[in-house]
């Protein structure tokens, strides 16, 4: 399936009515399709399959006609037009999303986010089939990036109404207490990788809008206590730095109709006592629970710069040599 982009011009007098208050109507329309819809001025930029683009163009033509005729647009009008036109494209089979032939997980702000190798495709399939998935492996394998893409895809389909992204605030060699600024400023460096992925996939305006509406929430792991998260897609990143108690607390926050992805690298534990890593413990005690799956990445699955694989291999070899020397003593 070829991905194309088309610019659709809208009458400038009608544009605000078409997108709705707070982009509400635009969000409703976008949720019905896999295509990405962005707006600049009175021009819609639609990126997706040719079939979907044609339907989306017809949706906006019909809605523009209603605006011109009635001088306004209601939410009911948007749903009615979508019901008539969007039904031309069936995305579901037996209630489950069909795997796209080109492995596109989410059509982002600038480009589609794809599963780039067999392990990433296995990861994608596992998340579709399970409520909780642990993705364990080295940096550069796409664990977190794809998790964010899958969360956005589910939000777009309206199978969840909120995305929660969390990380433990554990220092890699420095203390939070000595960092400058208030609590938010101190935590920003830990949450920055999640924001970067969202920025790339959504663009600045859409990201700002969803965060202001609290549809996307990025919080430190410690702030999860006491919450029950229903109808949510929840991601715990850098989970190797969660303690056993924190991991139990996090997993028991899960409410009805939610999905959870836990990502981490057990070779990069910054806890004072590595044996207390919640990720290592979960990998041991949760293997036999139906509905939970574990996906393991290794250096062969790295999709960053080719040197990253060699760097990981060199450090692994060095650690093996150090372990041998410790055993000889």
């Amino acid at each position: 399936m070829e991905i194309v982009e088309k610019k659709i011009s809208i009458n400038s007098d009608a544009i605000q009515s078409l997108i709705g208050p707070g982009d509400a109507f635009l969000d409703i329309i976008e949720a019905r399709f896999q295509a990405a819809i962005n707006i600049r001025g009175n021009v819609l930029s639609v990126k997706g399959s040719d079939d979907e683009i044609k339907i989306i163009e017809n949706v906006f033509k019909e809605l523009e006609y209603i605006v011109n005729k009635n001088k306004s647009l209601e939410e009911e009008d948007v749903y009615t037009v979508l019901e008539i036109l969007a039904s031309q494209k069936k995305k579901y089979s037996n209630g489950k999303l069909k795997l796209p032939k080109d492995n596109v997980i989410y059509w982002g702000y600038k480009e589609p986010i794809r599963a780039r190798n067999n392990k990433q495709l296995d990861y994608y399939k596992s998340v579709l089939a399970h409520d909780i998935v642990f993705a364990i492996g080295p940096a550069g394998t796409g664990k977190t990036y794809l998790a964010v893409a899958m969360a956005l895809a589910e939000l777009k389909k309206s199978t969840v109404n909120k995305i929660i992204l969390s990380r433990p605030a554990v220092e890699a060699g420095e203390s939070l207490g000595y960092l400058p600024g208030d609590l938010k400023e101190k935590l920003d460096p830990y949450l920055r990788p999640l924001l970067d992925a969202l920025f790339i996939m959504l663009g600045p305006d859409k990201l700002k809008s969803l965060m202001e509406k609290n549809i996307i929430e990025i919080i430190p792991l410690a702030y999860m206590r006491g919450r029950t998260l229903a109808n949510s897609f929840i991601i715990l990143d850098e989970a190797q730095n969660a303690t056993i108690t924190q991991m139990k607390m996090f997993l028991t926050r899960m409410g009805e109709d939610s999905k959870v992805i836990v990502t981490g690298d057990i070779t990069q534990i910054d806890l004072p006592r590595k044996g207390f890593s919640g990720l290592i413990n979960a990998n041991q005690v949760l293997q036999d629970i139906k509905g939970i799956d574990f996906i393991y990445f290794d250096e062969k699955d790295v999709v960053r710069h080719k040197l990253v694989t060699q760097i990981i291999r060199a450090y692994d070899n060095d650690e093996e040599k150090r372990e041998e020397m410790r055993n000889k003593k």
Side-chain angles (χ1 to χ4, degrees):
M1 180 173 58
E2 184 182 1
I3 297 171
V4 296
E5 183 175 9
K6 183 172 183 178
K7 306 288 186 182
I8 302 172
S9 294
I10 304 292
N11 186 314
S12 58
D13 295 331
I15 191 66
Q16 193 56 52
S17 297
L18 287 176
I19 64 175
D23 294 349
F25 297 163
L26 184 62
D27 291 343
I28 292 170
I29 296 167
E30 195 173 23
R32 289 293 186 96
F33 302 93
Q34 285 191 312
I37 307 173
N38 293 293
I39 185 166
R40 287 289 182 275
N42 67 323
V43 177
L44 293 173
S45 175
V46 186
K47 189 184 297 183
S49 70
D50 188 57
D51 288 343
E52 279 203 337
I53 289 175
K54 288 178 182 176
I55 296 171
I56 291 169
E57 187 172 14
N58 286 333
V59 166
F60 278 99
K61 283 181 178 178
E62 289 296 324
L63 293 177
E64 189 173 1
Y65 172 78
I66 293 172
V67 170
N68 291 335
K69 182 180 178 182
N70 299 337
K71 307 304 179 186
S72 65
L73 189 67
E74 303 295 332
E75 186 174 300
E76 185 179 350
D77 298 326
V78 179
Y79 280 114
T80 299
V81 170
L82 283 171
E83 198 64 35
I84 295 170
L85 295 178
S87 61
Q88 298 172 24
K89 183 172 179 61
K90 300 294 184 181
K91 295 196 299 177
Y92 296 91
S93 176
N94 299 324
K96 291 185 178 180
L97 180 67
K98 293 180 180 179
L99 282 172
K101 293 180 181 179
D102 54 3
N103 300 339
V104 172
I105 295 172
Y106 179 76
W107 289 4
Y109 175 62
K110 291 187 176 180
E111 61 183 7
I113 313 303
R114 287 185 169 91
R116 295 172 60 184
N117 53 41
N118 289 334
K119 185 56 67 68
Q120 288 191 352
L121 186 58
D122 289 343
Y123 181 26
Y124 181 29
K125 291 178 180 178
S126 178
V127 172
L128 291 176
H130 299 86
D131 287 337
I132 299 178
V133 174
F134 287 79
I136 301 173
T141 51
K143 305 183 303 295
T144 301
Y145 194 71
L146 289 184
V148 172
M150 288 185 272
L152 289 172
E154 294 301 308
L155 182 67
K156 191 169 186 178
K157 291 184 296 177
S158 299
T159 54
V160 298
N161 55 30
K162 189 177 183 68
I163 295 175
I164 307 287
L165 304 107
S166 186
R167 271 187 159 202
V170 175
E171 308 91 321
E174 60 179 328
S175 172
L176 271 176
Y178 290 100
L179 292 176
D182 59 20
L183 181 61
K184 181 182 181 301
E185 291 170 327
K186 290 178 179 181
L187 291 170
D188 272 351
Y190 296 100
L191 306 178
R192 176 54 52 185
L194 298 171
L195 276 170
D196 288 345
L198 287 166
F199 186 90
I200 291 170
M201 295 180 201
L202 290 172
D205 296 338
K206 187 73 170 179
L207 175 58
K208 181 181 178 183
S209 173
L210 291 176
M211 292 191 72
E212 286 177 347
K213 296 173 184 175
N214 216 31
I215 294 173
I216 293 178
E217 189 176 356
I218 306 178
I219 56 175
L221 179 58
Y223 286 49
M224 297 282 280
R225 190 175 301 279
R227 302 183 65 176
T228 299
L229 303 171
N231 300 302
S232 301
F233 200 114
I234 313 155
I235 299 171
L236 176 60
D237 190 34
E238 298 290 345
Q240 74 276 2
N241 288 327
T243 65
I244 295 172
T245 301
Q246 286 176 325
M247 180 64 75
K248 179 183 177 183
M249 178 273 292
F250 170 79
L251 293 175
T252 54
R253 299 307 92 202
M254 184 181 183
E256 291 293 322
D257 300 315
S258 289
K259 275 189 180 289
V260 170
I261 296 179
V262 178
T263 70
D265 178 1
I266 57 175
T267 70
Q268 298 292 324
I269 298 172
D270 297 316
L271 294 170
R273 299 178 68 179
K274 295 187 178 182
F276 283 83
S277 169
L279 184 59
I280 291 178
N281 180 258
N283 190 44
Q284 295 168 347
V285 303
L286 301 179
Q287 287 283 350
D288 298 327
I289 297 180
K290 187 177 181 180
I292 298 179
D293 195 24
F294 289 80
I295 298 293
Y296 301 96
F297 294 84
D298 57 36
E299 63 186 36
K300 297 190 297 295
D301 303 313
V302 171
V303 292
R304 289 183 185 169
H305 193 285
K306 60 184 179 181
L307 284 176
V308 174
T309 300
Q310 298 177 45
I311 291 169
I312 292 170
R313 187 179 298 125
Y315 275 102
D316 286 346
N317 291 339
D318 181 65
E319 181 61 30
E320 288 176 6
K321 290 176 182 178
R322 291 174 183 270
E323 185 66 27
E324 289 176 5
M325 290 178 65
R326 284 193 292 267
N327 293 335
K328 288 179 181 179
K329 291 181 179 179

